[in-house]
Amino acid sequence: MTVTYPQGDPASALIDYRSRRRQLAIGAAVFMALVVLVVTLKIVQGVFFTPESTVRAFFQALADRDAGAAGGLVTPAPGRELAGEDLRGDAVLKSSGYSPPTGVRVEPAAAGEDDQATVNVSYLLAGQPQRRTFILKRDERATAGPFRAWHIVEGAIEEVYVRAETAETVLVAGTPAIVSRGLVNAFGYPGAYQVTLPEQPLLQADPVTAYPGVDRHIPVALLRPTVKPTAQGEVDRQVRTFLDQCSESPGTEDTNCPRPWAFLSSPDLTQVKILRYPTCEITISQGQVLVRGEFQAGVQRKPPYGYSGTSTYVVSGIVTATDGAVVFQPE
């Protein structure tokens, strides 16, 4: 049996064959490129856009004292009200009074519902181990090209724990913070914050360190102000001036003059002379600086009373630092 093949142009057949090979090669290359792209995107997402990477970046920002980078990774959960002085700014993180956490260890994330994840972190503060739980939420939309980033919604911001006696304002890492009912009213990122008194003429205190949201086995810092030695002379001087004013106008009730002037029945018939001025005792009690001193005075009453005598009396009051000056207020 004889088999015949269709006759054609050999050159055209060769061109068609090469064209089909080229199309297949291009298709294969496109397919491989898509595979590489998908794999690369998954690798990038799995390395740089995970809950763990966000937490690591947050602690690295604290170590770098970069408030902008740290803040860009934190989105506080809606409904949480933060009260007091905000310690998250550059002025605080770059201050020598702030120390970021060290020895940070980030544990694998535990996936949750609704694009949420939980990450536990351990680190050191003042040599003491700490452990904190971070809750993160994945962005609903892509915010970094094709990637959906994670943001910390809980765990990054806590109140500062520190008590302060006899102070209305303290400096936390150089930033003023209000003291309310003996507690510092402020909040910030994890770390150690040095707490001091603002410069003033009346009180001084050794610095203490406060830690936002620490475990309870680290004691709450207590700032204990004491009276400056230089305030003693100014208080004694103002008390002497006050007693002299009482001597010039004895018996006037609204001056808060102590005995022997107070409530004199006949001030125009009485002469009081200070024989010994007090060296006052200055103490701190229940948030106030108290003054108490004993002085000696001679009292002479004109006829028809005809009385004279010498006694020891007490002068008392409080002292405040007002407009940068020590001010004695009698009581």
Side-chain angles (χ1 to χ4, degrees):
M1 180 178 179
T2 302
V3 179
T4 61
Y5 295 93
Q7 301 295 316
D9 186 357
S12 298
L14 181 60
I15 291 173
D16 290 343
Y17 172 73
R18 289 177 174 176
S19 177
R20 286 194 295 271
R21 288 192 61 184
R22 186 180 298 111
Q23 291 175 358
L24 290 173
I26 292 173
V30 171
F31 175 77
M32 290 302 298
L34 290 174
V35 171
V36 170
L37 177 61
V38 171
V39 172
T40 301
L41 290 177
K42 286 186 174 294
I43 292 174
V44 172
Q45 178 74 50
V47 174
F48 299 103
F49 294 91
T50 64
E52 298 95 329
S53 63
T54 296
V55 174
R56 290 191 189 96
F58 171 71
F59 278 94
Q60 185 60 52
L62 297 184
D64 295 338
R65 301 175 183 272
D66 189 337
L73 298 168
V74 179
T75 303
R80 181 182 180 185
E81 296 183 1
L82 299 173
E85 185 66 31
D86 190 345
L87 304 177
R88 298 175 297 170
D90 271 328
V92 172
L93 296 191
K94 294 184 182 300
S95 167
S96 60
Y98 170 75
S99 299
T102 59
V104 178
R105 295 183 60 186
V106 179
E107 299 178 10
E113 299 179 354
D114 299 327
D115 282 334
Q116 287 194 354
T118 301
V119 176
N120 291 318
V121 183
S122 60
Y123 52 88
L124 298 177
L125 284 179
Q128 294 291 331
Q130 296 293 305
R131 184 178 175 85
R132 179 174 292 197
T133 298
F134 290 81
I135 297 177
L136 298 92
K137 186 172 180 61
R138 197 178 185 185
D139 293 345
E140 295 181 358
R141 299 178 181 178
T143 55
F147 305 107
R148 294 169 61 192
W150 291 84
H151 281 81
I152 302 170
V153 295
E154 292 184 26
I157 306 171
E158 295 289 347
E159 294 180 346
V160 173
Y161 292 102
V162 60
R163 294 185 180 276
E165 297 178 344
T166 321
E168 296 180 354
T169 303
V170 298
L171 296 179
V172 182
T175 297
I178 296 174
V179 179
S180 176
R181 297 181 180 179
L183 290 174
V184 171
N185 197 18
F187 57 90
Y189 296 134
Y193 296 78
Q194 187 181 76
V195 183
T196 60
L197 280 181
E199 181 58 34
Q200 57 162 295
L202 180 59
L203 299 175
Q204 62 185 8
D206 293 331
V208 297
T209 303
Y211 308 95
V214 296
D215 292 341
R216 293 307 183 193
H217 67 267
I218 290 186
V220 175
L222 175 60
L223 190 70
R224 292 183 179 273
T226 59
V227 179
K228 283 185 172 181
T230 53
Q232 182 73 55
E234 179 60 21
V235 170
D236 289 340
R237 186 192 66 79
Q238 292 188 29
V239 170
R240 288 195 299 269
T241 300
F242 167 65
L243 294 177
D244 289 340
Q245 292 172 347
C246 289
S247 296
E248 295 172 0
S249 56
T252 306
E253 295 183 16
D254 58 3
T255 62
N256 291 327
C257 289
R259 292 185 181 277
W261 295 279
F263 309 114
L264 290 176
S265 58
S266 303
D268 55 329
L269 300 176
T270 304
Q271 182 180 13
V272 180
K273 183 178 181 180
I274 306 299
L275 303 177
R276 178 174 56 81
Y277 290 97
T279 297
C280 294
E281 179 185 8
I282 307 175
T283 59
I284 298 176
S285 176
Q286 298 182 350
Q288 290 185 319
V289 180
L290 306 180
V291 173
R292 183 184 186 280
E294 293 184 349
F295 66 97
Q296 192 176 64
V299 180
Q300 183 175 4
R301 306 191 71 176
K302 299 178 182 179
Y305 302 99
Y307 165 81
S308 63
T310 300
S311 297
T312 300
Y313 303 94
V314 174
V315 59
S316 62
I318 63 173
V319 179
T320 60
T322 304
D323 296 330
V326 174
V327 178
F328 168 71
Q329 301 174 359
E331 62 180 11

